[in-house]
Amino acid sequence: MRYIISLFILLIQTVAIQAQQKSRPFQFKKPNKVVEHAKYGKIRLYDAREIKDNLGVIQVGMLNANRFLVAEPSLEKQLQRQLEDMTASRKADDELLIRLEKFCIAELTEGFSEKGFLDFRAIIFSKKANGEYLQLARVDTTIIVNGMDVTKATLARASDVVNNLICDALTKEGDTTKLYTLSQIENYDSVQKRQLALYNTSTYKDGLYLTYEEFVRQIPSGGPAQLKDGDFYSGFFKENEKGKLKKLNPKDYYAVVYNGNPFISSQDQFYALISEEDDFIFVGPVKETASASNVVAASVPLGAIGGILVSGPETNYCTQKLDYVNGTFIRIK
């Protein structure tokens, strides 16, 4: 009996301690590769993430309490340590710069299993003697880990992605035909958008777009869309082989432009798309499990950590923006 009471007290103390701790430290695992003849001995970080004070949310303890994941020491210090651990010689003077755009981890519990999510996007540049930069390597990935307890595996995958990116850059020279200034790297999104037709016009080409690639290039391949009696709420239509109007299934298209107005397809409807501050915004449904960023954004407001993350197939309506790189939807926090 005394043993049971002691065990119960220990359990209560453990839960109390976990409730008090609002974050958990993150550290990269030691790289398992050594790169011979590495050209670079230093790495700097330009953090372009929307939220910089954490790396997402993990679940801890028997109650699966949500806790912020925080880099300790800082990400830049850890990246430098990773570089030094994977170089056989530390005499190289050349410098790398990594522009970090996404680094978000999240977990969801569904029944008796868990899902771990990782969103990661980064670009590595090398600094030249004249102060300009060459792009060496880039990674843009979303990883989903399934299992009974996914925390360890998800964190390990995050380390692997970063280690592989650095390793890939250590012996590269870069494309000397395309140079970047530090200002261009800091505003990399804007620089890239200036090369995309969608982000450089206020007149959108009418038609049905099958993919994001068509939409961003403004080259529709699905023919024209029509409305019945000008009623948008009844959906868009298209003439079939017999000349009769057939209602379109939004799932068959990425977007439609009608009378110069763009609409985005999300699940089973088309939603008005608005250009706002060099982004495209719409209000529509989102499945919270689409990515780590959306999982975290779907949780209670950051700062009130400990609430329940939305899980499973539940769909909510929220404001989203297009990811200019691949056309996926990013929930705005």
Side-chain angles (χ1 to χ4, degrees):
M1 183 66 179
R2 182 177 300 175
Y3 172 78
I4 295 176
I5 294 175
S6 298
L7 185 62
F8 180 73
I9 293 174
L10 179 61
L11 174 62
I12 295 299
Q13 290 175 338
T14 301
V15 172
I17 291 172
Q18 291 175 347
Q20 293 172 359
Q21 296 174 333
K22 301 300 183 183
S23 65
R24 288 293 187 273
F26 171 85
Q27 291 189 6
F28 293 110
K29 70 177 184 179
K30 191 177 180 67
N32 54 15
K33 295 180 182 179
V34 175
V35 179
E36 300 288 344
H37 311 297
K39 300 179 181 296
Y40 307 96
K42 183 178 180 181
I43 187 167
R44 292 177 52 215
L45 170 68
Y46 178 76
D47 195 345
R49 295 175 300 150
E50 292 186 10
I51 296 179
K52 299 178 175 60
D53 59 358
N54 68 79
L55 303 174
V57 176
I58 60 172
Q59 297 178 340
V60 300
M62 290 175 288
L63 300 180
N64 281 337
N66 299 319
R67 294 293 179 261
F68 282 124
L69 194 60
V70 178
E72 295 180 5
S74 69
L75 276 178
E76 186 166 69
K77 289 181 179 179
Q78 290 196 48
L79 291 171
Q80 178 64 32
R81 184 186 64 196
Q82 297 303 99
L83 184 149
E84 292 173 356
D85 285 346
M86 68 177 66
T87 53
S89 172
R90 303 183 185 182
K91 297 180 181 180
D93 295 326
D94 289 350
E95 181 179 298
L96 294 172
L97 173 64
I98 180 169
R99 175 186 162 92
L100 184 61
E101 299 183 349
K102 292 183 180 180
F103 193 151
C104 188
I105 293 170
E107 292 181 39
L108 285 178
T109 299
E110 298 177 326
F112 295 100
S113 65
E114 295 181 352
K115 283 187 177 181
F117 299 82
L118 168 67
D119 293 342
F120 186 84
R121 180 186 294 164
I123 311 163
I124 285 191
F125 302 85
S126 63
K127 185 178 182 180
K128 310 309 291 181
N130 63 0
E132 293 182 311
Y133 294 82
L134 300 176
Q135 183 171 322
L136 301 182
R138 181 180 185 276
V139 64
D140 182 6
T141 186
T142 296
I143 294 172
I144 300 177
V145 178
N146 294 285
M148 295 294 293
D149 186 354
V150 298
T151 303
K152 186 176 181 180
T154 305
L155 298 181
R157 294 292 296 274
S159 288
D160 289 340
V161 168
V162 173
N163 288 340
N164 291 339
L165 176 63
I166 297 174
C167 182
D168 187 36
L170 285 176
T171 57
K172 287 188 173 181
E173 293 285 358
D175 182 3
T176 57
T177 64
K178 192 169 186 179
L179 296 171
Y180 293 87
T181 65
L182 181 58
S183 176
Q184 287 176 321
I185 293 176
E186 292 173 347
N187 298 281
Y188 188 85
D189 287 356
S190 295
V191 172
Q192 298 305 308
K193 287 176 182 178
R194 298 290 69 80
Q195 303 175 38
L196 304 175
L198 178 64
Y199 289 85
N200 292 278
T201 183
S202 58
T203 305
Y204 309 106
K205 190 171 182 180
D206 281 3
L208 290 160
Y209 298 82
L210 302 180
T211 65
Y212 174 68
E213 288 70 25
E214 290 185 0
F215 189 51
V216 78
R217 294 170 59 194
Q218 284 293 281
I219 305 176
S221 68
Q226 299 183 40
L227 293 178
K228 276 189 176 180
D229 302 321
D231 182 12
F232 167 76
Y233 294 100
S234 65
F236 288 102
F237 292 78
K238 181 181 177 181
E239 285 189 1
N240 61 18
E241 297 81 0
K242 298 180 180 180
K244 295 183 178 181
L245 290 181
K246 181 180 178 180
K247 187 173 181 179
L248 299 177
N249 184 349
K251 294 181 180 180
D252 294 335
Y253 302 93
Y254 180 82
V256 58
V257 176
Y258 180 79
N259 284 346
N261 298 307
F263 299 84
I264 196 73
S265 171
S266 181
Q267 297 185 40
D268 59 352
Q269 293 285 344
F270 286 103
Y271 298 89
L273 197 60
I274 300 171
S275 177
E276 183 178 293
E277 296 182 357
D278 215 21
D279 276 314
F280 285 91
I281 308 294
F282 73 99
V283 176
V286 60
K287 285 191 175 182
E288 313 302 358
T289 56
S291 69
S293 301
N294 284 342
V295 169
V296 173
S299 69
V300 294
L302 297 180
I305 201 66
I308 300 175
L309 291 173
V310 178
S311 63
E314 182 176 349
T315 300
N316 293 313
Y317 286 77
C318 63
T319 304
Q320 301 165 74
K321 68 178 180 180
L322 301 190
D323 186 331
Y324 80 94
V325 175
N326 52 30
T328 57
F329 305 154
I330 301 173
R331 179 172 179 150
I332 296 178
K333 303 171 181 60

